[in-house]
Structure formats: structure tokens, C-alpha cells
């Protein structure tokens, strides 16, 4: 069974390709390599012993999208990761984000509607919740005004899919709202490859640990939390990737209750920034250099998932710990700097 993974050479996409191949799916990858590397394809192949079919396509070109689906009309499902994802960049380049994240989604959905099998997994985000009124955050929590154009593209993306599902009963879709993916594959053959200065906490920690950065800046030390630092739900990327496989299988088996469903993907436990640093210190044997600086505008105090819906309906739950994720992230950092 052939599955298309857009953005399949990115961080989460590449790990999901591995899990799909290991479950016996034939995978086709589309990626424009704007925020990824062709070398990731070698890493996937080294893990699975299967080289997925790859096409370098910019999904912003409608004709390219149409031609691709004309050549691959036997696709049974799409996992859609392709999107720009840096919050700060989206604030400075909003039109680029709306074109890339929304336009490409529309083009892909238009072509999917012509297929015999219309199964669609959307890469969404917990940013749709903002600072939730209650913790842990359930799927029924209100979607609040986005803090950034990036977050808004995820909200709009979900609305587009939901509206399309209302008028196209053949389109079966699941939106997966991620919390904070971290870590690397245990083989250390694929992992997170941030371009430039990392926007996320864990790669900044590992780059500081390896000596690329002088120290880590912890944004805010006076939040109303146990240690004063912000709390997030950090999920191992391998656990996250496996959730895409079971969600896709739910659609293929037509076990979905409606043709549009939403699931949170997280551990169900929040960890503070200092707790993440402590985990890194434990697994690396280091004493990471950091300083507490002013909060960033738009940062929320705490966000962690209520995961019972995914646990009960998808039959999925996380198996890997924060220490597991930090250990794999650190080994990955060491590998890519020493190779």
C-alpha cells in the first residue's frame, strides 16, 4: 500500500517514514529541501534497508502537485508535514507562511479528492490552544487567537480540512496536535537538523553541550511554576512518529467515528525548562551553562496534553521517557559534529 509523506525528510517526517516502512507500507516522499537535507534519505535507508521513492517538488507550484498525483494515482493515504515552522520567522514573513502552509495544503487536498482512497493525516500543533484555561489540555479546549502567523496557519489548516470533510464524505482525515517533539532515532542515523540558530530548546541544549554555543538562555525564571521556568510536554519523536502509523491505519480500516477527527499527541506530563536541563546533565555527565533572562513576548506559562483520547481510541501511548529523548538527542549531536 503506497503512502505519500510530504516533508518526509524533515525531523518528524523522516521518523514517520521509518515507522511506516517498518510496518510494511510503500512510502513516497515529497520534499523541497528548503529546511532539510537529502542526506536524510540515506539515514532512512540505512535504518529500514529500503530506499523510499523521493521526488524534490515544491508544493507551492500547483502544476507540480497536479502532475505528481497524476503519476501516483494509486496512493492510499497522505501524511502531510510539509510546512514552514519557525514562529519568529513567521512573525517577520507572514505572507511567506500563509502561501507555503495554506496554499500547499489546498493544492494537495484538491488532488486527493480525485483519488480512490482519500485518507489524510494533518500535522497540526498544540499552538492552536494558546495558554489554555485548564491543564492538562483536552481536545475540547477552546482554540484561541493565534500568537503567531505560524500558529494561525495550523488553525486555518484544520478549518480548511474540516470544511472540506463536510462536503466530501469520501475524505477521511485526522488532525494530530503535537506538543513538543524531541530526541532522535535510537540508531542515531536520523535526528533533528536545525538550520542556523535553533528555535527549540533541546537542540540549543545539545549545541551548548557540544561547545557550539557559549551558554543557554532560559527565557523567564519567575513563572508561577515549581521552579519558576516554563513548562511544556516533551514527547520523543519516535513515539510521535508511531502515532501517525496507527492514525493512518484507523483511516484505512475505516474505524473512524467521523470523517474528521482530532487527537492530542503528548506524554500527558509537563516538564520545566530546568527539569529538561537536569535530564541532559544526568545523561551527559555535564553541568550545562545557562542563564535566566527576560521572558519572550507571546510565551505561555505551561502546556501539557490530556492524552486519554489518543490512548483509548487510537490504542497509542508514549513508551519513551524524557531521559530517553535527551540521551538520543545528545548522541545525535555528538555524531553529526564528529562525523
Amino acid at each position: 500500500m503506497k503512502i505519500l509523506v510530504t516533508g518526509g525528510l524533515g525531523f518528524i517526517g523522516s521518523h514517520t517514514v521509518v515507522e511506516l516502512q517498518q510496518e510494511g507500507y510503500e512510502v513516497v516522499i515529497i520534499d523541497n529541501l528548503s529546511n532539510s537535507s537529502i542526506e536524510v534519505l540515506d539515514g532512512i535507508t540505512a535504518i529500514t534497508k529500503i530506499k523510499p521513492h523521493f521526488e524534490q517538488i515544491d508544493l507551492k507550484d500547483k502544476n507540480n502537485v497536479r502532475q505528481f498525483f497524476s503519476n501516483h494515482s494509486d496512493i492510499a493515504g497522505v501524511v502531510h508535514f510539509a510546512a514552514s515552522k519557525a514562529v519568529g520567522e513567521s512573525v517577520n514573513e507572514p505572507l511567506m507562511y500563509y502561501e507555503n502552509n495554506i496554499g500547499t495544503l489546498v493544492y494537495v487536498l484538491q488532488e486527493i479528492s480525485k483519488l480512490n482512497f482519500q485518507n489524510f493525516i494533518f500535522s497540526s500543533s498544540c499552538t492552536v490552544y494558546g495558554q489554555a484555561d485548564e491543564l492538562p489540555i483536552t481536545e475540547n479546549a477552546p482554540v484561541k487567537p493565534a500568537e503567531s502567523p505560524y500558529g494561525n496557519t495550523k488553525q486555518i489548516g484544520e478549518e480548511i480540512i474540516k470544511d472540506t470533510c463536510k462536503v466530501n464524505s469520501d475524505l477521511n482525515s485526522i488532525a494530530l496536535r503535537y506538543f513538543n517533539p524531541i530526541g532522535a532515532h535510537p540508531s542515531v542515523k536520523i535526528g533533528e537538523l536545525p538550520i542556523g540558530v535553533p528555535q527549540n530548546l533541546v537542540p540549543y541544549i545539545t549545541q551548548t553541550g557540544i561547545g557550539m554555543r557559549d551558554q543557554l538562555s532560559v527565557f523567564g525564571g519567575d513563572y508561577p511554576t515549581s521552579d519558576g521556568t516554563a513548562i511544556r510536554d516533551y514527547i520523543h519523536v519516535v513515539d510521535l512518529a508511531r502515532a501517525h502509523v496507527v492514525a493512518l491505519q484507523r483511516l484505512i480500516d475505516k474505524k473512524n467515528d467521523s470523517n474528521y477527527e482530532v487527537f492530542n499527541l503528548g506524554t500527558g506530563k509537563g516538564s520545566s525548562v530546568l527539569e529538561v536541563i537536569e535530564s541532559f546533565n544526568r545523561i551527559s555527565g555535564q553541568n550545562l551553562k545557562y542563564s535566566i533572562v527576560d521572558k519572550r513576548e507571546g510565551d505561555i506559562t505551561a502546556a501539557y496534553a490530556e492524552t486519554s483520547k489518543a490512548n483509548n481510541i487510537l490504542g497509542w501511548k508514549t513508551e519513551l521517557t524524557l531521559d530517553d529523548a535527551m540521551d538520543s538527542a545528545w548522541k545525535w549531536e555528538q555524531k553529526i559534529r564528529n562525523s
Side-chain angles (χ1 to χ4, degrees):
M1 188 171 287
K2 184 186 290 186
I3 305 299
L4 168 64
V5 181
T6 71
L9 296 186
F11 177 40
I12 306 171
S14 60
H15 287 80
T16 301
V17 169
V18 166
E19 297 300 322
L20 286 166
Q21 288 192 323
Q22 290 179 332
E23 287 297 317
Y25 291 101
E26 177 187 354
V27 177
V28 178
I29 296 172
I30 287 178
D31 203 298
N32 68 359
L33 301 179
S34 64
N35 196 34
S36 57
S37 168
I38 191 62
E39 294 175 356
V40 176
L41 192 62
D42 296 331
I44 293 170
T45 305
I47 296 169
T48 65
K49 312 304 179 188
I50 302 168
K51 186 173 184 177
H53 180 79
F54 169 71
E55 294 196 24
Q56 184 175 348
I57 292 175
D58 190 339
L59 295 175
K60 294 194 298 296
D61 187 322
K62 188 174 184 176
N63 290 327
N64 284 344
V65 180
R66 184 182 295 121
Q67 186 61 52
F68 172 85
F69 278 95
S70 176
N71 295 338
H72 297 274
S73 59
D74 56 341
I75 284 172
V78 177
V79 187
H80 185 59
F81 293 104
S84 300
K85 62 178 184 177
V87 171
E89 183 182 54
S90 78
V91 173
N92 296 323
E93 300 282 352
L95 293 180
M96 182 184 80
Y97 269 68
Y98 288 118
E99 178 188 30
N100 194 47
N101 293 9
I102 301 302
T104 57
L105 171 63
V106 170
Y107 295 159
V108 171
L109 287 174
Q110 286 173 334
E111 296 307 314
I112 288 175
S113 67
K114 304 172 186 176
L115 301 179
N116 291 327
F117 302 99
Q118 299 180 32
N119 300 306
F120 188 76
I121 303 292
F122 180 59
S123 168
S124 192
S125 168
C126 66
T127 58
V128 301
Y129 298 118
Q131 178 59 72
D133 299 323
E134 296 182 4
L135 294 171
I137 302 170
T138 73
E139 288 84 354
N140 293 323
V143 172
K144 296 190 172 182
E147 300 285 347
S148 68
Y150 163 74
N152 202 27
T153 64
K154 293 303 180 183
Q155 293 183 6
I156 295 169
E158 288 192 10
E159 291 169 359
I160 289 170
I161 298 164
K162 183 164 58 175
D163 288 342
T164 306
C165 285
K166 287 178 182 177
V167 298
N168 180 3
S169 59
D170 292 329
L171 176 61
N172 292 306
S173 183
I174 291 176
L176 298 175
R177 293 173 176 169
Y178 315 152
F179 279 68
N180 294 71
I182 60 172
H185 195 270
S187 67
V188 204
K189 296 185 184 298
I190 56 174
E192 192 167 7
L193 282 169
I195 295 174
V197 179
Q199 299 293 312
N200 298 325
L201 174 63
V202 170
Y204 208 109
I205 286 176
T206 57
Q207 288 189 10
T208 303
I210 207 77
M212 288 184 63
R213 313 286 167 191
D214 292 335
Q215 65 176 10
L216 171 73
S217 294
V218 176
F219 296 103
D222 58 352
Y223 284 102
T225 61
S226 60
D227 61 21
T229 62
I231 291 173
R232 298 290 184 270
D233 188 337
Y234 296 95
I235 177 173
H236 198 300
V237 66
V238 171
D239 278 332
L240 184 65
R242 289 169 179 163
H244 292 75
V245 180
V246 296
L248 179 66
Q249 194 61 53
R250 175 175 174 80
L251 296 180
I252 291 171
D253 294 341
K254 300 192 182 304
K255 291 183 178 179
N256 45 314
D257 298 324
S258 71
N259 69 331
Y260 177 75
E261 297 179 309
V262 173
F263 294 93
N264 285 342
L265 296 182
T267 65
K269 176 184 182 298
S271 299
S272 72
V273 175
L274 292 185
E275 286 174 332
V276 177
I277 293 171
E278 289 166 4
S279 173
F280 175 77
N281 288 343
R282 275 196 303 274
I283 63 96
S284 69
Q286 292 196 31
N287 189 14
L288 193 78
K289 295 178 182 178
Y290 70 89
S291 63
I292 295 177
V293 299
D294 291 340
K295 297 176 184 176
R296 293 179 297 190
E297 184 178 354
D299 276 353
I300 59 177
T301 300
Y304 53 94
E306 163 58 61
T307 62
S308 58
K309 183 178 179 183
N311 299 157
N312 296 331
I313 295 177
L314 295 180
W316 166 89
K317 63 179 181 179
T318 56
E319 298 176 356
L320 300 165
T321 66
L322 177 61
D323 280 4
D324 290 332
M326 296 305 296
D327 183 52
S328 63
W330 178 229
K331 288 176 179 174
W332 169 250
E333 186 71 54
Q334 291 173 301
K335 177 192 174 182
I336 59 177
R337 301 309 164 194
N338 295 328
S339 59

